[in-house]
């Protein structure tokens, strides 16, 4: 290894992931050098507070508050600061200096990725971001390279560990949302302010990046249709379970034709019923998975840790070794794949299935009336289940008061617009006391 | 695209997969050119019988029985003949001519891969084989590149669709092995002579390739310990189900220290109990999946179609596009990863868990005697379940004849040698009527 080239690596940020990246760069230097074909020398770690306590013991002399000099001297810059600034300015500076950039910053990529990709392309440097979506799960290379001879049509991801943990708890213990959230907070799976996770904002940002990855197109976060899980009740989960489904929060990106006939991309995040036999249904706890449908390859799934220091650090280092190999051996960087400009398509154009739970009067002709409304809107019913409720025991008048029933429908695929119109029309029927739940169904 | 370079592609073989590869090369020429940065021109298809019927309509003028002239003229050679010869000779010839080679030939790679890799390295050409293991599932790039900064410790694969289909049928319908096999044969999932599949030989060849992929080492097929599924009964499946497990045929490759303390690799194929919550348990029908454990990334799984014309063709074309990109843009080929020489380690060094079913006399002290045998061998018990059998109704003598019980143990991890010795010692006890089943357990 005497004649081996040395590549200088600058690390920006030393949180959970950054500290693990530094540890691995130091402890596994030999293995990394053999894989890269060059020594990877960690030249410094830029942080806000040099004296702050780290999760890993690292040499004090590596720390500095001055990021710019580190960047100017580096072959590879690893950005793990998170947030928009100063991350954006520092990444631009690294690109301007001709360094390869590896980042795990999904917020920045979702907000400003296209500008950064364009700058990297222009400068002829590599910008890689395996760690930004689904933590340790290898997605970038399988999707960009292994499937380069195929066409991806749809991607469905469980990409937020917090909400998957909460829904999995509700499913396995029957807990209500609030209790499962509290349990997740206690275990450190959910933050004190869980809004970004439970309302689907984090999953939306990752959905936009997934769409960009899968369809080689820019996708604006503002065009993601997003619904969180805070309104999911223990009853919803129990009813779904009873019918053979599990409820998961999915980020779904698909390539389809819009109402104007043009091909485009729709991205949506919402709680979704999945058959319990579906591979995504077996993703438990805080794990992540991305399910991909391609024209020739068919169905695939990639499963793994979505977060955590060491797992995410593994993804960062995969990118670092790849970038290093290219510096040693030459070859195409991120510019290698053609980019197209596909328009964002609204939810109206998406075809999906609905699960609809209704509280109805238990009297003859109810089902036929409701089925008529479905038919009018061109929505056909895949399955129907009826549960008769016992008469209210508190109704001591024994006046033959209304006995109610619960009807649960799963529809065949239909346009979102027809389904929404169907639900509204059904809601208007006299015999319908309440629409208990409306959830989308995938995987059937 | 006027000034775009053209790369000549020769196809050897036109079975199910080959015909799909040809179709995609012709039908999706534009997309492939955009992704590759060069036109991929299919110059010819070498087959034994030019007049044979194909599964896809292809231009007659492409077919030839003369492979060598095609190869001499090609930039990229796709070998989909299967079997050892003439595939080996033709691949060597392609390498000698400086062509990149893409193959899906697992038999040849398992038998002779090291020689071919070495020849390709020496000639500086790329030899890729994504389609050879787990069909359409991207494994090569995730394992070789995305995990380049990590260390894989264990790989467990469901890599044979036939046996997975049979076991899945037995699990869901309660069928016996012979009936499930017959059903698989009727559906074309199993061949008339199913030996290579059901006895695990196919899974063994893939296990050897998986080990090479994951651990960057040659691994000789002869060192794979292999046991098939033909002795699995409906009772085994039912008992496993009852205890919360499913039985899968797994190819397991792991990096571990042998009895001599040296680091090495063990590869084994055997029916395995997996907890029903395990991600591999959700792999149904003829699907394949590979579960990977890495030091930093933790647990990952890659799932998809293991066979079939179009899915496997997708994997072949991913390799073709990658090879083409490198020809256009330069850069490191297959030589990019360091290879080590790890010795094969015998099953004796592997630590695993056993599931042991015993038919015993139902009398006091039985459990204590058996538990004593476990303890003597240093094997500790994780769970025990007991089922008392009703007295034999045909035993009209009513002579107080022996009532039997069934004991089912799952052990903690112990060395294969201790476990085997434990089973032998238990078998020798007077109170043990029969050892009903011994199966290995993973994922606990």
């Amino acid at each position: 290894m005497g004649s081996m080239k040395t590549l200088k690596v600058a690390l920006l940020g030393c949180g959970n992931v950054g500290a693990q990246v530094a540890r691995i760069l130091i402890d596994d230097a030999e293995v990394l050098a053999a894989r890269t074909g060059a020594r990877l020398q960690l030249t410094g770690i830029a942080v806000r507070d040099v004296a702050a306590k780290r999760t890993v013991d690292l040499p004090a002399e590596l720390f500095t508050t001055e990021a710019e000099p580190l960047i100017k001297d580096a072959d590879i810059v690893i950005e793990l600061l998170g947030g928009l600034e100063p991350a954006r300015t520092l990444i631009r500076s690294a690109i301007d200096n001709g360094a390869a950039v590896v980042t795990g910053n999904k917020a920045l990529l979702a907000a400003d990725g296209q500008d950064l990709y364009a700058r990297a392309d222009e400068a002829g440097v590599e910008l890689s971001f395996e760690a930004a979506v689904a933590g340790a799960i290898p997605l970038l290379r399988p999707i960009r390279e292994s499937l380069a001879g195929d066409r991806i049509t749809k991607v469905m991801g469980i990409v937020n560990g917090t909400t998957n943990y909460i829904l999995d708890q509700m499913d396995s213990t029957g807990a209500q949302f609030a209790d499962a959230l509290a349990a997740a907070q206690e275990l450190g799976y959910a933050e004190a302010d869980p809004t970004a996770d439970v309302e689907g904002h984090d999953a939306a940002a990752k959905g936009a990046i997934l769409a960009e990855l899968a369809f080689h197109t820019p996708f604006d976060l503002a065009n993601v249709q997003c619904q969180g899980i805070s309104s999911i009740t223990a009853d919803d989960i129990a009813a779904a379970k009873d019918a053979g489904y599990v409820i998961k929060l999915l980020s779904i990106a698909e390539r389809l034709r819009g109402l104007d006939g043009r091909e485009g991309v729709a991205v949506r995040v919402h709680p979704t019923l999945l058959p319990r036999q579906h591979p995504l249904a077996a993703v438990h706890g805080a794990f992540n998975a991305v399910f991909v449908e391609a024209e020739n390859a068919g169905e695939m799934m990639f499963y793994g840790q979505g977060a955590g220091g060491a797992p995410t650090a593994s993804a960062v280092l995969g990118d670092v070794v790849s970038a290093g190999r290219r510096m040693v051996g030459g070859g195409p960087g991120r510019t290698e794949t053609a980019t197209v400009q596909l328009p964002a398509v609204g939810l109206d154009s998406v075809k999906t299935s609905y699960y609809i739970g209704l509280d109805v009067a238990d009297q003859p002709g109810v089902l036929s009336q409701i089925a008529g409304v479905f038919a009018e809107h061109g929505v056909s019913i895949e399955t129907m289940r009826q549960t008769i409720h016992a008469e209210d025991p508190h109704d001591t008048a024994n006046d033959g008061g209304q006995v109610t029933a619960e009807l649960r429908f799963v529809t065949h695929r239909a346009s979102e617009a027809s389904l929404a119109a169907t639900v509204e029309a059904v809601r208007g029927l006299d015999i319908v006391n309440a629409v208990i739940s409306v959830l989308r169904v995938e995987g059937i």
Side-chain angles (χ1 to χ4, degrees), chain A residues 152-207:
Chain A
I152 294 173
T153 50
K154 189 171 181 179
V155 178
M156 301 198 289
I158 294 174
V159 289
N160 180 272
T162 304
T163 47
N164 200 56
Y165 178 84
I166 291 171
L167 291 171
D168 199 32
Q169 279 292 107
M170 291 175 74
D171 188 75
S172 59
T173 68
Q176 285 292 357
F177 171 77
D179 298 328
L181 171 59
Q185 285 170 321
E186 213 158 291
L187 286 162
Y189 287 144
E191 297 185 37
D193 175 0
T195 312
D197 291 318
V198 301
E199 296 308 334
H201 306 151
D202 173 75
K206 290 167 177 168

Side-chain angles (χ1 to χ4, degrees), chain A residues 45-362:
Chain A
I45 308 174
V47 293
R48 219 168 357 190
D49 176 6
V50 168
K53 189 143 177 58
R54 314 289 165 197
T55 52
V56 174
D57 250 345
L58 295 165
E61 63 272 21
L62 285 174
F63 290 93
T64 171
T65 54
E66 300 298 315
E68 286 290 356
L70 262 190
I71 292 171
K72 286 222 159 46
D73 187 43
D75 299 297
I76 299 172
V77 173
I78 305 172
E79 185 275 305
L80 295 169
L81 296 162
L84 302 189
E85 284 296 347
R88 174 176 18 213
T89 305
L90 295 175
I91 288 178
R92 286 183 183 176
S93 165
I95 292 171
D96 292 344
N97 281 293
V101 175
V102 176
T103 176
N105 193 331
K106 64 174 177 298
L108 178 58
L109 290 176
D112 215 20
Q114 293 308 317
D115 173 67
L116 294 174
Y117 304 150
R119 284 168 188 260
D121 280 358
E122 204 177 314
V125 305
E126 221 170 334
L127 171 62
S128 33
F129 49 92
E130 181 70 87
V133 192
I137 308 177
L139 282 177
L140 210 71
R141 281 163 199 86
I143 287 182
R144 282 278 159 111
E145 298 181 29
S146 306
L147 290 169
D150 205 333
R151 228 181 318 231
I152 294 173
T153 50
K154 189 171 181 179
V155 178
M156 301 198 289
I158 294 174
V159 289
N160 180 272
T162 304
T163 47
N164 200 56
Y165 178 84
I166 291 171
L167 291 171
D168 199 32
Q169 279 292 107
M170 291 175 74
D171 188 75
S172 59
T173 68
Q176 285 292 357
F177 171 77
D179 298 328
L181 171 59
Q185 285 170 321
E186 213 158 291
L187 286 162
Y189 287 144
E191 297 185 37
D193 175 0
T195 312
D197 291 318
V198 301
E199 296 308 334
H201 306 151
D202 173 75
K206 290 167 177 168
I209 301 175
L210 277 181
E212 295 188 347
L213 247 181
F215 306 123
H216 306 253
T217 181
F219 195 92
D220 190 339
L221 176 54
N223 289 319
V224 179
Q225 305 275 340
C226 178
Q227 182 192 337
I229 64 163
S230 55
S231 62
I232 300 292
T233 64
D235 281 351
D236 288 333
I237 304 262
K241 201 170 186 170
D242 187 45
Y245 294 94
V246 62
I247 299 182
K248 296 285 188 189
L249 182 72
L250 298 188
S251 289
I252 305 175
E254 56 196 310
R255 191 167 176 153
L256 76 177
R257 292 196 184 278
L259 296 175
D260 59 1
R262 281 172 66 206
E263 210 175 15
V265 172
V267 181
R268 52 198 163 107
V269 171
H270 52 66
T272 315
L273 269 74
L274 284 169
R276 296 187 92 85
Q277 291 281 92
H278 195 280
L280 281 171
V283 178
H284 299 291
F287 272 86
N288 279 199
V290 177
F291 189 83
V292 176
E293 294 175 26
E295 273 177 14
N296 294 308
E299 301 181 343
M300 284 157 287
M301 190 176 82
F302 305 90
Y303 164 98
Q305 307 259 17
T312 311
S314 170
V316 168
L317 284 158
D319 280 351
V320 170
V321 169
S322 277
R325 273 181 196 165
R326 291 236 168 76
M327 288 180 175
V328 177
R334 202 193 162 274
T335 51
E336 67 204 45
T337 53
T339 299
V340 290
Q341 299 276 337
L342 294 169
V345 170
L347 212 51
D348 280 0
S349 306
V350 170
K351 292 207 182 232
T352 179
S353 298
Y354 267 26
Y355 165 92
I356 303 168
L358 301 175
D359 181 23
V360 300
D362 181 34

